[in-house]
Amino acid sequence: MPKNRVDFDTVRKIALGLPGVEESTAYGSPALKVRGKLLTCIPVHRSAEPYSLAVRVDFDHRAELIASAPDIYYLTDHYVNYPIVLVRFSRIHLDALADLLSVAWRSVTAKTPGGKPNARRQKDSRSRYFE
């Protein structure tokens, strides 16, 4: 178990140190965004365990995280189609959290080879969550 207590205030302090990150909300829950795009938030869906964090990562990276540390990172059926990994606050170390938030920030701010922001996912009712 981590020596330091990790909670959303810890996440906020780390994430606000990254360029362009601002405090916001997602479905009424505290969130951090970059240019209006979700970086991380407290998950509100009932399938998420209490004291969890939802962090935006690409699907491949999510699979790697869950495979390497299923005690820290997890997924529920609700989040399968979203580029999100769920994180147990009680299990993640501060260094791993900082690394994860940096990966998430790079994912949110990445541009395609043509210099355009990443192509939007297929438009549906869920896409506004990630804008």
Side-chain angles (χ1 to χ4, degrees), residues 26 48 55 111 124 127:
V55 181
K111 295 189 182 226
D124 64 17
S127 65

Side-chain angles (χ1 to χ4, degrees), residues 38 55 79 97:
L38 181 72
V55 181
Y79 292 96
L97 176 62

Side-chain angles (χ1 to χ4, degrees), residues 1-4 6 72 89 91-98:
M1 193 167 301
K3 292 179 183 178
N4 298 328
V6 176
I72 300 171
F89 277 129
R91 300 287 184 159
I92 194 163
H93 291 270
L94 215 47
D95 291 342
L97 176 62

Side-chain angles (χ1 to χ4, degrees), residues 54-87:
V55 181
R56 185 172 182 165
V57 294
D58 66 55
F59 294 104
D60 291 336
H61 195 91
R62 176 177 77 185
E64 291 173 15
L65 290 168
I66 293 170
S68 68
D71 58 320
I72 300 171
Y73 308 102
Y74 71 103
L75 184 64
T76 66
D77 288 344
H78 174 75
Y79 292 96
V80 167
N81 294 321
Y82 298 101
I84 291 285
V85 68
L86 298 169
V87 181

